[in-house]
Amino acid sequence: ACCDEGEDSADGYGILERLLMADNKKWESLNLQGNRIQMLGRTCLSDFISTNEYIKTIILKDNMLNDQDVHLIAEALRTNSTLRSIYLESNNNDITETGWSAVRRALCNASSFNSIFGSNHTCYVKLAEGHEPAEILYDQIIVNNGEKGWKENFAIKMHSLILKRHAS
């Protein structure tokens, strides 16, 4: 494992930070599974997600992420339109319903038509076991399907909100 040596053995953040500070970050996929990454409020990963226009897949399974880390990732998803999938499921990540709720709101904030417009429509998020998968209904609104484009995901969310409001 890459993080078993030196100062990075406690958590994989140091190696993650060096990786994401590299000059040429035109990666389409980034597999960080099982690297004991603890972000502890540090933002290099969320900064990378919010600004990188090439990345399509990030795998963060089996790290040591918490609600604060996932909240930063969720905020970054609001501005990224190229990421197609992010994998957060894990036995090691310490993410509660608070963190999962932040992710779901980033994918589909159903409080108004404008908030749906401002949601992420491209990224499928694989959540932890026992939590609603991202493709299932969230508050009666369908969240992103990785097989569909952003326009179709957006249209489905808007249509679902209209149906929900007229059913009341």
Side-chain angles (χ1 to χ4, degrees), residues 18 41 52 69 92 100-101 131:
R18 285 192 298 278
N52 190 289
D69 302 330
N92 300 329
W100 297 127
S101 181
H131 294 274

Side-chain angles (χ1 to χ4, degrees), residues 129-149:
E129 232 177 272
H131 294 274
E132 291 181 16
E135 74 273 7
I136 302 294
L137 297 178
Y138 168 62
D139 192 27
Q140 309 295 318
I141 305 291
I142 296 175
V143 184
N144 299 340
N145 177 326
E147 312 243 334
K148 296 180 168 99

Side-chain angles (χ1 to χ4, degrees), residues 108-144:
C108 184
N109 182 344
S111 61
S112 71
F113 292 114
N114 285 336
S115 21
I116 284 182
F117 184 78
S119 298
N120 178 299
H121 305 295
T122 60
C123 189
Y124 167 81
V125 178
K126 176 69 172 147
L127 304 178
E129 232 177 272
H131 294 274
E132 291 181 16
E135 74 273 7
I136 302 294
L137 297 178
Y138 168 62
D139 192 27
Q140 309 295 318
I141 305 291
I142 296 175
V143 184
N144 299 340

